[in-house]
Amino acid sequence: MAQKETSKSLEQYKLNLKVMYLYIKLEKNNKGKGSYMGENKSNDKLWGGRFAKNTASLMDKFNASIEFDQKLYKYDIEGSIAHAKMLSKTNIITEEESKIIIKGLQSILEDIERGKVTFKLELEDVHMNIEKLLIDRIGELGKKLHTARSRNDQVAIDIRLYLREEITNICNLVKNLLSSLIDIAKAHTETIMPGYTHLQRAQPVTLAYHIMAYFQMFKRDYDRLKDCYNRVNMLPLGVGALAGTTYHTDREFLARELGFSSLCENGMDAVSDRDFIIEFISTSAIIMMHLSRFCEELIIWSTSEFGFVEMDDSYSTGSSIMPQKKNPDVAELIRGKTGRIYGNLINILTVMKALPLAYNKDMQEDKPPLFDTVENIKDCLEIFNKMLKTAEFKKENMKKATKKGFMNATDVADYLVKKGLPFRSAHEIVGKMVLYCIERNKTIDDLTQEEFKNFSNVFEEDILQKINIENCVEAKVSKGSTSKKSVLEMIESAESFIDNFF
Ligand code: ARG
């Protein structure tokens, strides 16, 4: 009996050795491939324990987000390092263990940045790729990193870290644009041009006034970005999959470590909230809408029909057939890309529509529209600013354009009102004067004193001087108007906005 026992345990010992040998061999073969025991095996996946069968390769490909979410590697590692620190601070793992994990994560970051890491599709996403790399590097201990954490709070923290940084970058680009607008406005407080309504010449304004209108739009965009930043800057990490964790974690520590101003208060909300992405893309869509209006004007202004502006050669293109052409492609492309950002907004709104709480895989689709928006809004803001700064505004043509279109008609009416006529009667008299001029191919300024008197006997000698274009601009005394004094006030307040808020 005793002999039988001995030979049985010897057999067992031999078998164990064999298994160990095979295991080591397999691990060696797969070194650097990011997979323990061959690819596509479900039971090799980090979640594979419950699976009896391999996943189909088509499933792996369809399910994977690594192709696009690898962009988040830096933030994923940043979040994991903070998590590892928290785990040791709360004695869930030892300090020694935490240090080894952090070193492992840092070495992975360095290798990714040196282009030494190839992400694996079968490892699905950036989170599992990095976790697997860690396990490959530091062994069993790497498997402790995911304690008290889920990919649901992990992906949420990654996106928030990424977006926080990108919103700051975008704010800086808006700030550059705001500064350029002030510079252009300062140079053109006396450049008179037609102001339009319905794209019909309406009243004379200065180019500075027109430009400062855009300043206000982009200033509101800046405020909206800052506001959105505050809602992005809340920590979702530490709530686990949806319900919280059984460990005594320290989320306040995580928030401090990662520089978040507050915690997401409800775990279910923390893992299922993507409205901060919607808010960001919506803010971006408004920026694009503003850019597209400006671009449209620059495109129109650069036609020979208008001739108000000429883009610098460095930001224009030619035609492959018509040698004389110089096209404002930058402005046209920005106008075109506006559609793309609106598309991204509808995309994310539709992904999130009617999703039950908490996490759903649909939400993996949040990243392509987000990344696309970030990249494009940055490109558009940067190139628009450069194109605008190098554009040449044609003062003479702008001024000339104010001569036609009866741009001082309202001022003639105001003249009559100041002489005691009710505005409606004054409006009618000037309407008749305009018709009279059109029939004789004249402007109001061409009329003789006698002709003026024929329309109303309150007209006096000073009329022509009162309605010359420069006076029409300067006579706008209401706050927020086109007069030089008023525009200089706007510029001053814009400069103080820039100094105080940036
Ligand atoms: N790749 C996933 C995403 O981007 C990560 C979260 C996965 N969570 C899950 N429970 N399957 O949304």
Side-chain angles (χ1 to χ4, degrees):
M1 178 78 178
Q3 204 186 0
K4 216 172 167 190
E5 272 300 304
T6 320
S7 72
K8 204 174 153 198
S9 58
L10 191 69
E11 280 309 301
Q12 188 63 49
Y13 176 70
K14 278 188 190 161
L15 193 72
N16 282 351
L17 262 182
K18 222 168 166 181
V19 169
M20 257 172 78
Y21 170 71
L22 276 175
Y23 179 83
I24 292 165
K25 205 170 138 194
L26 271 171
E27 217 191 344
K28 227 170 131 189
N29 283 348
N30 287 309
K31 229 185 177 123
K33 288 188 196 162
S35 166
Y36 255 157
M37 296 183 201
E39 297 170 355
N40 291 356
K41 298 253 172 72
S42 286
N43 53 3
D44 300 335
K45 294 191 192 308
L46 292 175
W47 43 256
R50 182 234 177 277
F51 283 74
K53 219 172 144 187
N54 294 343
T55 46
S57 336
L58 185 60
M59 171 64 197
D60 283 347
K61 194 167 165 353
F62 189 69
N63 195 35
S65 53
I66 187 62
E67 221 175 281
F68 51 84
D69 69 14
Q70 54 183 275
K71 207 184 205 32
L72 296 174
Y73 73 86
K74 192 170 86 175
Y75 312 97
D76 194 70
I77 291 175
E78 191 182 345
S80 287
I81 290 178
H83 184 66
K85 283 187 189 165
M86 187 277 289
L87 289 178
S88 84
K89 182 179 177 282
T90 51
N91 296 319
I92 296 168
I93 62 174
T94 67
E95 209 183 321
E96 189 54 28
E97 287 176 325
S98 166
K99 279 187 181 150
I100 298 171
I101 289 175
I102 291 170
K103 259 184 112 176
L105 287 167
Q106 281 162 344
S107 76
I108 293 169
L109 178 64
E110 277 162 27
D111 284 356
I112 296 174
E113 275 172 354
R114 285 200 204 113
K116 284 190 181 166
V117 169
T118 315
F119 291 112
K120 304 279 173 194
L121 183 116
E122 61 276 14
L123 287 169
E124 205 177 312
D125 57 25
V126 67
H127 325 294
M128 292 201 290
N129 265 274
I130 290 175
E131 193 180 332
K132 188 66 180 61
L133 282 165
L134 182 71
I135 296 167
D136 286 346
R137 285 183 189 199
I138 66 169
E140 287 292 299
L141 173 58
K143 295 182 179 171
K144 288 196 177 182
L145 174 64
H146 212 52
T147 317
R149 185 177 74 169
S150 146
R151 265 190 301 156
N152 297 351
D153 54 345
Q154 189 178 356
V155 68
I157 189 78
D158 290 9
I159 304 173
R160 283 174 188 264
L161 283 167
Y162 159 82
L163 195 48
R164 239 178 26 172
E165 191 171 314
E166 292 295 5
I167 290 179
T168 306
N169 294 335
I170 295 164
C171 276
N172 285 334
L173 291 166
V174 175
K175 175 183 149 182
N176 293 345
L177 177 56
L178 289 174
S179 302
S180 306
L181 293 174
I182 294 181
D183 292 344
I184 298 170
K186 275 179 157 173
H188 290 285
T189 53
E190 289 175 14
T191 305
I192 296 179
M193 64 179 289
Y196 296 82
T197 61
H198 312 268
L199 203 53
Q200 305 285 325
R201 288 176 194 166
Q203 290 184 327
V205 294
T206 62
L207 177 59
Y209 183 61
H210 197 120
I211 293 286
M212 288 310 284
Y214 282 107
F215 181 93
Q216 293 300 322
M217 297 176 223
F218 292 114
K219 171 176 173 268
R220 288 192 295 274
D221 289 334
Y222 182 86
D223 287 341
R224 268 186 281 270
L225 282 169
K226 284 266 165 193
D227 201 35
C228 173
Y229 182 97
N230 292 336
R231 275 179 288 277
V232 173
N233 198 20
M234 297 167 88
L235 179 102
L237 191 60
V239 304
L242 75 161
T245 76
T246 53
Y247 305 90
H248 291 285
T249 53
D250 187 345
R251 294 187 62 216
E252 269 91 9
F253 171 84
L254 283 173
R256 279 195 303 278
E257 201 56 30
L258 293 167
F260 282 87
S261 63
S262 60
L263 306 183
C264 297
E265 284 182 22
N266 176 299
M268 267 201 154
D269 175 51
V271 293
S272 63
D273 167 32
R274 294 292 183 271
D275 56 22
F276 64 94
I277 299 184
I278 296 175
E279 210 176 321
F280 166 74
I281 302 184
S282 142
T283 300
S284 302
I286 297 177
I287 296 177
M288 291 303 294
M289 179 271 292
H290 286 152
L291 283 175
S292 77
R293 295 184 77 174
F294 210 157
C295 284
E296 172 74 359
E297 296 202 315
L298 292 171
I299 293 163
I300 295 173
W301 291 359
S302 61
T303 58
S304 350
E305 284 78 1
F306 272 75
F308 288 0
V309 71
E310 189 177 341
M311 303 304 170
D312 193 71
D313 280 4
S314 52
Y315 293 103
S316 305
T317 58
S319 156
S320 56
I321 176 171
M322 297 165 283
Q324 86 284 10
K325 289 292 292 286
K326 184 168 160 185
N327 299 326
D329 283 26
V330 168
E332 290 170 63
L333 264 174
I334 295 174
R335 193 174 56 178
K337 281 177 193 284
T338 306
R340 182 172 171 152
I341 306 302
Y342 289 5
N344 290 340
L345 178 59
I346 296 300
N347 180 340
I348 183 75
L349 279 168
T350 314
V351 165
M352 295 308 292
K353 176 183 176 290
L355 275 191
L357 299 186
Y359 178 83
N360 299 270
K361 195 62 177 249
D362 315 42
M363 287 155 70
Q364 179 163 287
E365 287 293 314
D366 61 358
K367 282 168 267 317
L370 172 63
F371 295 158
D372 187 74
T373 302
V374 166
E375 290 317 315
N376 279 290
I377 195 99
K378 286 199 300 189
D379 285 354
C380 289
L381 281 166
E382 187 186 354
I383 198 159
F384 180 82
N385 188 28
K386 290 191 167 140
M387 172 189 73
L388 188 68
K389 277 166 78 162
T390 52
E392 190 198 337
F393 291 97
K394 309 273 187 188
K395 293 186 193 184
E396 288 313 309
N397 291 346
M398 287 182 162
K399 179 83 182 288
K400 219 159 79 199
T402 63
K403 301 282 179 226
K404 285 203 169 147
F406 304 99
M407 305 205 63
N408 48 8
T410 318
D411 300 85
V412 180
D414 286 343
Y415 175 95
L416 292 173
V417 169
K418 280 169 194 157
K419 299 277 179 191
L421 266 68
F423 181 76
R424 217 17 91 211
S425 317
H427 186 286
E428 198 187 340
I429 292 171
V430 183
K432 286 193 174 124
M433 290 170 74
V434 168
L435 189 63
Y436 175 90
C437 289
I438 291 171
E439 282 161 355
R440 286 158 187 80
N441 197 23
K442 284 182 169 189
T443 70
I444 297 180
D445 309 60
D446 295 333
L447 298 179
T448 61
Q449 287 298 321
E450 204 191 327
E451 284 173 306
F452 274 112
K453 293 258 188 237
N454 285 342
F455 287 99
S456 167
N457 55 13
V458 306
F459 279 119
E460 288 178 47
E461 291 290 310
D462 62 350
I463 177 65
L464 281 176
Q465 182 261 326
K466 281 272 160 52
I467 60 161
N468 83 35
I469 288 298
E470 282 82 5
N471 270 348
C472 291
V473 170
E474 281 321 301
K476 302 292 183 304
V477 288
S478 58
K479 236 186 158 12
S481 69
T482 187
S483 67
K484 184 169 178 180
K485 179 173 172 285
S486 170
V487 170
L488 287 175
E489 275 169 23
M490 283 171 213
I491 293 176
E492 197 183 321
S493 122
E495 282 182 319
S496 95
F497 173 80
I498 297 231
D499 293 344
N500 294 330
F501 291 91
F502 296 146

